[in-house]
Amino acid sequence: METKLLAADEAGIRLGAQLIRSGEVVGMPTETVYGLAANALDPAAAARIYKAKGRPSDNPLIVHIADYAMIDRLVAGKPLLADRLAEAFWPGPLTMIFPKSELVPFATTGGLDTVAVRMPSHPAAQALIRESGLPLAAPSANLSGRPSPTKASHVLHDMDGRIPLILDGGECQVGVESTVIAVGEESVRLLRPGGITVEMLSQFCDVIVDDGVLHQLKEGDQVLSPGMKYKHYAPQASVVLLDGDRESFVRYVNEHAVDGVFAMAAEEEIPELLVPVLPFGGEGDEASQARVLFDRLRESDEKGAKTVYVRMPDQSGVGLAVLNRLLRAAGFHIIRLGEEENHG
Ligand code: TXA
Ligand code: MG
């Protein structure tokens, strides 16, 4: 199959909507990461998404809507708290999980009787949903196990020959996937951190951070979000998180400066480092780290990195999402500097 790459302008959106209505999969820009969009109500279209990604079919898809009224057909009831959160954070990088209606096929929800719903803020995503007149199932547009795509060129790299069209809407503004929550009457459970932060949600309700956000699941653990159990975001190099201050980070990296060793580091740390650097936003500026994270992990592959050292990000704000993705990229390999080295 030939893969077209078109600007996400009127003509591009029109063609994209046409393809989606005929059951195809289209690369779609959103404010978080690029998605692989198809008709969420058509089991055959959902199956095409799984095939294009090479994704296990028990890992459910998020359904994207453009108007709040669209949600009523998709869910079998939702708590009042959901309305308040939607009013505050939609459109935007928040995904909420509800019991699904009969209209939503199990092929879309990975066999679960719940459905994840989000209203993206990217104008091209909204236009594609409106023009196709359908709720769109869309996982991140990477091959399963690869870093999520934040540029159209990333999507082309992974999906060339696998889907008919990619719409180029520029670089994603948030850079990490949406926050995923299960919504109760008075509290929410955070399953995946993202651009809508714990601090923001806490202004409306109690937020329980699921154990899987920062800890490795053990065999037999119950998994609320199937995505948490798969290896994720991994580049070819081994990523290692170094937990310590700037000085000890620089010292550790420089002491281990051999061929193939790279550092993902804040601008402030770069001049002192003796290894090739993948610039990783500003020190303590989590939003800028989130924006470039996946691009830098992909870059480490292009440059043939064997080991990439990254300093543990701050956990506040969107930093929790950055840490969550880095932990997975690193297979939870953390070295605590200053203590005995090699905690694993
Ligand atoms: O920002 C995003 O959410 C992007 C863009 C394209 O919108 N999409 C995205 O989709 O990241 P995906 O499929 O890569 O990640 C969806 C996550 C997975 O971890 C999945 O297990 C979880 O959401 N999820 C989806 N439906 C669920 C459900 N019904 N119950 C629990 N977790 C669910
Ligand atoms: Mg994904």
Side-chain angles (χ1 to χ4, degrees), residues 40 43 46 50 57 60 100-114:
Y50 286 104
S57 61
K100 78 170 194 69
S101 73
E102 281 183 15
L103 198 64
V104 181
F106 286 110
T108 295
T109 66
L112 298 178
D113 49 20
T114 53

Side-chain angles (χ1 to χ4, degrees), residues 121-187:
S121 65
H122 197 295
Q126 292 187 356
L128 193 63
I129 298 165
R130 292 220 169 87
E131 182 80 18
S132 59
L134 291 164
L136 300 184
S140 50
N142 51 287
L143 282 175
S144 197
R146 299 263 307 139
S148 292
T150 55
K151 296 174 176 172
S153 60
H154 297 162
V155 184
L156 187 64
H157 181 277
D158 282 16
M159 289 297 146
D160 198 12
R162 293 175 163 259
I163 58 174
L165 175 67
I166 297 163
L167 295 172
D168 186 347
E171 237 175 281
C172 300
Q173 286 307 298
V174 180
V176 290
E177 307 87 338
S178 62
T179 304
V180 178
I181 55 174
V183 188
E185 299 291 339
E186 267 146 33
S187 66

